[in-house]
Amino acid sequence: QKEVEQDPGPLSVPEGAIVSLNCTYSNSAFQYFMWYRQYSRKGPELLMYTYSSGNKEDGRFTAQVDKSSKYISLFIRDSQPSDSATYLCAMKETSGSRLTFGEGTQLTVNP
Amino acid sequence: ETGVTQTPRHLVMGMTNKKSLKCEQHLGHNAMYWYKQSAKKPLELMFVYSLEERVENNSVPSRFSPECPNSSHLFLHLHTLQPEDSALYLCASSQTENYNSPLHFGNGTRLTVT
């Protein structure tokens, strides 16, 4: 069983739609949760960073963590074609440097 | 323009060749990393360097040999690779090698082993 499960998609939505991207995990020691966005032929860039449970909002993006269900989500409101990318979830325990990534979800927002 | 620069962007090499990947970070960070990204797989951590000392070697075959001459530069020396080593190799840096220091990635080197 993978430590982090993420549906690879591809996911295709019309412009303006609300997008929900999700990851589940099995390691209850994970405390730090991140979402990275990776455009084609580019490296991943950090999009959202949250600690423990709760919500964090940044513009059109909202990251949600439910530690009791071992489930994290990234919501994109009013999605734009420029949001088309692969979204990687990543998580980390409180100590050590190892960051565990999901497989990534490929998103296409159609104009 | 990313603060982490990787060269070359693309590399094709035969199984008997020796080549090196280069990474340079302009962010003043103290930790640097090599990751492997293969299709349909999560990012795999290969090596971690903190203040030029290797702190993690994630069971990587010896045909991959890292070198960190200073905190701004990281190399990955390649020799006698296998076709399954074809992947995107990503370099990253972070302020420190701890749990709340986010990673900054380069754009990667696309490696093809023939």
PDB file of all heavy atoms in Angstrom, chain A residues 5-26:
ATOM      1  N   GLU A   5      -1.833   8.335  -1.271  1.00  0.00           N
ATOM      2  CA  GLU A   5      -2.608   7.993  -2.457  1.00  0.00           C
ATOM      3  C   GLU A   5      -3.175   9.261  -3.071  1.00  0.00           C
ATOM      4  O   GLU A   5      -3.765  10.092  -2.383  1.00  0.00           O
ATOM      5  CB  GLU A   5      -3.773   7.057  -2.090  1.00  0.00           C
ATOM      6  CG  GLU A   5      -3.356   5.707  -1.535  1.00  0.00           C
ATOM      7  CD  GLU A   5      -3.106   4.671  -2.616  1.00  0.00           C
ATOM      8  OE1 GLU A   5      -3.258   4.993  -3.817  1.00  0.00           O
ATOM      9  OE2 GLU A   5      -2.747   3.541  -2.264  1.00  0.00           O
ATOM     10  N   GLN A   6      -2.962   9.394  -4.385  1.00  0.00           N
ATOM     11  CA  GLN A   6      -3.483  10.556  -5.098  1.00  0.00           C
ATOM     12  C   GLN A   6      -3.928  10.094  -6.475  1.00  0.00           C
ATOM     13  O   GLN A   6      -3.171   9.420  -7.187  1.00  0.00           O
ATOM     14  CB  GLN A   6      -2.395  11.636  -5.226  1.00  0.00           C
ATOM     15  CG  GLN A   6      -2.871  12.903  -5.891  1.00  0.00           C
ATOM     16  CD  GLN A   6      -1.813  14.008  -5.922  1.00  0.00           C
ATOM     17  OE1 GLN A   6      -0.643  13.781  -5.631  1.00  0.00           O
ATOM     18  NE2 GLN A   6      -2.240  15.205  -6.265  1.00  0.00           N
ATOM     19  N   ASP A   7      -5.149  10.406  -6.837  1.00  0.00           N
ATOM     20  CA  ASP A   7      -5.678  10.027  -8.138  1.00  0.00           C
ATOM     21  C   ASP A   7      -4.923  10.785  -9.222  1.00  0.00           C
ATOM     22  O   ASP A   7      -4.934  12.013  -9.221  1.00  0.00           O
ATOM     23  CB  ASP A   7      -7.174  10.368  -8.204  1.00  0.00           C
ATOM     24  CG  ASP A   7      -7.821   9.876  -9.492  1.00  0.00           C
ATOM     25  OD1 ASP A   7      -7.109   9.560 -10.467  1.00  0.00           O
ATOM     26  OD2 ASP A   7      -9.065   9.802  -9.520  1.00  0.00           O
ATOM     27  N   PRO A   8      -4.277  10.081 -10.146  1.00  0.00           N
ATOM     28  CA  PRO A   8      -3.457  10.768 -11.154  1.00  0.00           C
ATOM     29  C   PRO A   8      -4.252  11.494 -12.223  1.00  0.00           C
ATOM     30  O   PRO A   8      -3.689  12.303 -12.973  1.00  0.00           O
ATOM     31  CB  PRO A   8      -2.654   9.619 -11.772  1.00  0.00           C
ATOM     32  CG  PRO A   8      -3.501   8.418 -11.575  1.00  0.00           C
ATOM     33  CD  PRO A   8      -4.206   8.624 -10.264  1.00  0.00           C
ATOM     34  N   GLY A   9      -5.567  11.270 -12.275  1.00  0.00           N
ATOM     35  CA  GLY A   9      -6.383  11.882 -13.312  1.00  0.00           C
ATOM     36  C   GLY A   9      -6.148  11.195 -14.661  1.00  0.00           C
ATOM     37  O   GLY A   9      -5.913   9.984 -14.684  1.00  0.00           O
ATOM     38  N   PRO A  10      -6.228  11.891 -15.770  1.00  0.00           N
ATOM     39  CA  PRO A  10      -6.319  13.347 -15.853  1.00  0.00           C
ATOM     40  C   PRO A  10      -7.718  13.875 -15.535  1.00  0.00           C
ATOM     41  O   PRO A  10      -8.692  13.180 -15.701  1.00  0.00           O
ATOM     42  CB  PRO A  10      -5.950  13.643 -17.315  1.00  0.00           C
ATOM     43  CG  PRO A  10      -6.351  12.410 -18.056  1.00  0.00           C
ATOM     44  CD  PRO A  10      -6.146  11.267 -17.105  1.00  0.00           C
ATOM     45  N   LEU A  11      -7.752  15.116 -15.048  1.00  0.00           N
ATOM     46  CA  LEU A  11      -8.981  15.797 -14.702  1.00  0.00           C
ATOM     47  C   LEU A  11      -9.128  16.987 -15.642  1.00  0.00           C
ATOM     48  O   LEU A  11      -8.210  17.798 -15.773  1.00  0.00           O
ATOM     49  CB  LEU A  11      -8.902  16.273 -13.242  1.00  0.00           C
ATOM     50  CG  LEU A  11     -10.087  17.018 -12.661  1.00  0.00           C
ATOM     51  CD1 LEU A  11     -11.323  16.134 -12.660  1.00  0.00           C
ATOM     52  CD2 LEU A  11      -9.769  17.479 -11.239  1.00  0.00           C
ATOM     53  N   SER A  12     -10.287  17.081 -16.293  1.00  0.00           N
ATOM     54  CA  SER A  12     -10.533  18.146 -17.245  1.00  0.00           C
ATOM     55  C   SER A  12     -11.805  18.874 -16.847  1.00  0.00           C
ATOM     56  O   SER A  12     -12.847  18.229 -16.652  1.00  0.00           O
ATOM     57  CB  SER A  12     -10.671  17.568 -18.664  1.00  0.00           C
ATOM     58  OG  SER A  12     -10.872  18.589 -19.609  1.00  0.00           O
ATOM     59  N   VAL A  13     -11.727  20.201 -16.694  1.00  0.00           N
ATOM     60  CA  VAL A  13     -12.872  20.984 -16.253  1.00  0.00           C
ATOM     61  C   VAL A  13     -13.004  22.226 -17.133  1.00  0.00           C
ATOM     62  O   VAL A  13     -12.018  22.675 -17.741  1.00  0.00           O
ATOM     63  CB  VAL A  13     -12.729  21.415 -14.775  1.00  0.00           C
ATOM     64  CG1 VAL A  13     -12.595  20.195 -13.863  1.00  0.00           C
ATOM     65  CG2 VAL A  13     -11.572  22.370 -14.582  1.00  0.00           C
ATOM     66  N   PRO A  14     -14.203  22.815 -17.196  1.00  0.00           N
ATOM     67  CA  PRO A  14     -14.356  24.070 -17.946  1.00  0.00           C
ATOM     68  C   PRO A  14     -13.886  25.244 -17.110  1.00  0.00           C
ATOM     69  O   PRO A  14     -13.896  25.200 -15.862  1.00  0.00           O
ATOM     70  CB  PRO A  14     -15.863  24.142 -18.200  1.00  0.00           C
ATOM     71  CG  PRO A  14     -16.464  23.379 -17.067  1.00  0.00           C
ATOM     72  CD  PRO A  14     -15.495  22.291 -16.718  1.00  0.00           C
ATOM     73  N   GLU A  15     -13.493  26.292 -17.775  1.00  0.00           N
ATOM     74  CA  GLU A  15     -13.079  27.527 -17.096  1.00  0.00           C
ATOM     75  C   GLU A  15     -14.181  28.006 -16.169  1.00  0.00           C
ATOM     76  O   GLU A  15     -15.356  27.972 -16.508  1.00  0.00           O
ATOM     77  CB  GLU A  15     -12.751  28.597 -18.138  1.00  0.00           C
ATOM     78  CG  GLU A  15     -12.216  29.895 -17.565  1.00  0.00           C
ATOM     79  CD  GLU A  15     -11.791  30.874 -18.652  1.00  0.00           C
ATOM     80  OE1 GLU A  15     -11.824  30.497 -19.854  1.00  0.00           O
ATOM     81  OE2 GLU A  15     -11.437  32.014 -18.318  1.00  0.00           O
ATOM     82  N   GLY A  16     -13.776  28.434 -14.970  1.00  0.00           N
ATOM     83  CA  GLY A  16     -14.739  28.927 -14.000  1.00  0.00           C
ATOM     84  C   GLY A  16     -15.232  27.872 -13.026  1.00  0.00           C
ATOM     85  O   GLY A  16     -15.870  28.205 -12.020  1.00  0.00           O
ATOM     86  N   ALA A  17     -14.930  26.612 -13.277  1.00  0.00           N
ATOM     87  CA  ALA A  17     -15.394  25.540 -12.390  1.00  0.00           C
ATOM     88  C   ALA A  17     -14.626  25.553 -11.074  1.00  0.00           C
ATOM     89  O   ALA A  17     -13.524  26.097 -10.972  1.00  0.00           O
ATOM     90  CB  ALA A  17     -15.209  24.183 -13.085  1.00  0.00           C
ATOM     91  N   ILE A  18     -15.234  24.943 -10.064  1.00  0.00           N
ATOM     92  CA  ILE A  18     -14.542  24.702  -8.802  1.00  0.00           C
ATOM     93  C   ILE A  18     -13.874  23.329  -8.903  1.00  0.00           C
ATOM     94  O   ILE A  18     -14.526  22.339  -9.225  1.00  0.00           O
ATOM     95  CB  ILE A  18     -15.508  24.725  -7.605  1.00  0.00           C
ATOM     96  CG1 ILE A  18     -16.128  26.113  -7.454  1.00  0.00           C
ATOM     97  CG2 ILE A  18     -14.773  24.328  -6.320  1.00  0.00           C
ATOM     98  CD1 ILE A  18     -17.192  26.192  -6.379  1.00  0.00           C
ATOM     99  N   VAL A  19     -12.588  23.304  -8.620  1.00  0.00           N
ATOM    100  CA  VAL A  19     -11.817  22.068  -8.724  1.00  0.00           C
ATOM    101  C   VAL A  19     -11.506  21.563  -7.326  1.00  0.00           C
ATOM    102  O   VAL A  19     -11.130  22.338  -6.438  1.00  0.00           O
ATOM    103  CB  VAL A  19     -10.505  22.294  -9.495  1.00  0.00           C
ATOM    104  CG1 VAL A  19      -9.658  21.023  -9.529  1.00  0.00           C
ATOM    105  CG2 VAL A  19     -10.793  22.782 -10.912  1.00  0.00           C
ATOM    106  N   SER A  20     -11.635  20.280  -7.133  1.00  0.00           N
ATOM    107  CA  SER A  20     -11.282  19.634  -5.865  1.00  0.00           C
ATOM    108  C   SER A  20     -10.242  18.550  -6.130  1.00  0.00           C
ATOM    109  O   SER A  20     -10.482  17.627  -6.901  1.00  0.00           O
ATOM    110  CB  SER A  20     -12.533  19.018  -5.230  1.00  0.00           C
ATOM    111  OG  SER A  20     -12.174  18.249  -4.088  1.00  0.00           O
ATOM    112  N   LEU A  21      -9.101  18.708  -5.524  1.00  0.00           N
ATOM    113  CA  LEU A  21      -8.007  17.735  -5.648  1.00  0.00           C
ATOM    114  C   LEU A  21      -7.763  17.138  -4.267  1.00  0.00           C
ATOM    115  O   LEU A  21      -7.791  17.854  -3.267  1.00  0.00           O
ATOM    116  CB  LEU A  21      -6.736  18.419  -6.160  1.00  0.00           C
ATOM    117  CG  LEU A  21      -6.880  19.166  -7.484  1.00  0.00           C
ATOM    118  CD1 LEU A  21      -5.676  20.059  -7.733  1.00  0.00           C
ATOM    119  CD2 LEU A  21      -7.068  18.204  -8.628  1.00  0.00           C
ATOM    120  N   ASN A  22      -7.518  15.832  -4.215  1.00  0.00           N
ATOM    121  CA  ASN A  22      -7.475  15.157  -2.918  1.00  0.00           C
ATOM    122  C   ASN A  22      -6.323  14.179  -2.792  1.00  0.00           C
ATOM    123  O   ASN A  22      -5.850  13.632  -3.783  1.00  0.00           O
ATOM    124  CB  ASN A  22      -8.783  14.386  -2.707  1.00  0.00           C
ATOM    125  CG  ASN A  22      -9.994  15.218  -3.011  1.00  0.00           C
ATOM    126  OD1 ASN A  22     -10.272  16.192  -2.343  1.00  0.00           O
ATOM    127  ND2 ASN A  22     -10.710  14.862  -4.070  1.00  0.00           N
ATOM    128  N   CYS A  23      -5.906  13.965  -1.551  1.00  0.00           N
ATOM    129  CA  CYS A  23      -4.927  12.920  -1.227  1.00  0.00           C
ATOM    130  C   CYS A  23      -5.348  12.253   0.071  1.00  0.00           C
ATOM    131  O   CYS A  23      -5.859  12.927   0.978  1.00  0.00           O
ATOM    132  CB  CYS A  23      -3.529  13.494  -1.049  1.00  0.00           C
ATOM    133  SG  CYS A  23      -2.740  14.023  -2.587  1.00  0.00           S
ATOM    134  N   THR A  24      -5.123  10.964   0.160  1.00  0.00           N
ATOM    135  CA  THR A  24      -5.275  10.256   1.419  1.00  0.00           C
ATOM    136  C   THR A  24      -3.914   9.693   1.819  1.00  0.00           C
ATOM    137  O   THR A  24      -3.043   9.488   0.970  1.00  0.00           O
ATOM    138  CB  THR A  24      -6.290   9.099   1.311  1.00  0.00           C
ATOM    139  OG1 THR A  24      -5.840   8.192   0.282  1.00  0.00           O
ATOM    140  CG2 THR A  24      -7.667   9.620   0.954  1.00  0.00           C
ATOM    141  N   TYR A  25      -3.743   9.458   3.110  1.00  0.00           N
ATOM    142  CA  TYR A  25      -2.452   8.964   3.574  1.00  0.00           C
ATOM    143  C   TYR A  25      -2.661   7.992   4.715  1.00  0.00           C
ATOM    144  O   TYR A  25      -3.724   7.940   5.332  1.00  0.00           O
ATOM    145  CB  TYR A  25      -1.544  10.132   3.989  1.00  0.00           C
ATOM    146  CG  TYR A  25      -2.068  10.974   5.132  1.00  0.00           C
ATOM    147  CD1 TYR A  25      -1.698  10.715   6.449  1.00  0.00           C
ATOM    148  CD2 TYR A  25      -2.914  12.049   4.883  1.00  0.00           C
ATOM    149  CE1 TYR A  25      -2.160  11.496   7.494  1.00  0.00           C
ATOM    150  CE2 TYR A  25      -3.384  12.833   5.921  1.00  0.00           C
ATOM    151  CZ  TYR A  25      -3.004  12.561   7.215  1.00  0.00           C
ATOM    152  OH  TYR A  25      -3.466  13.347   8.257  1.00  0.00           O
ATOM    153  N   SER A  26      -1.625   7.212   4.993  1.00  0.00           N
ATOM    154  CA  SER A  26      -1.757   6.172   6.012  1.00  0.00           C
ATOM    155  C   SER A  26      -0.921   6.457   7.266  1.00  0.00           C
ATOM    156  O   SER A  26      -1.181   5.882   8.319  1.00  0.00           O
ATOM    157  CB  SER A  26      -1.341   4.820   5.429  1.00  0.00           C
ATOM    158  OG  SER A  26      -0.024   4.875   4.912  1.00  0.00           O
TER     159      SER A  26
END
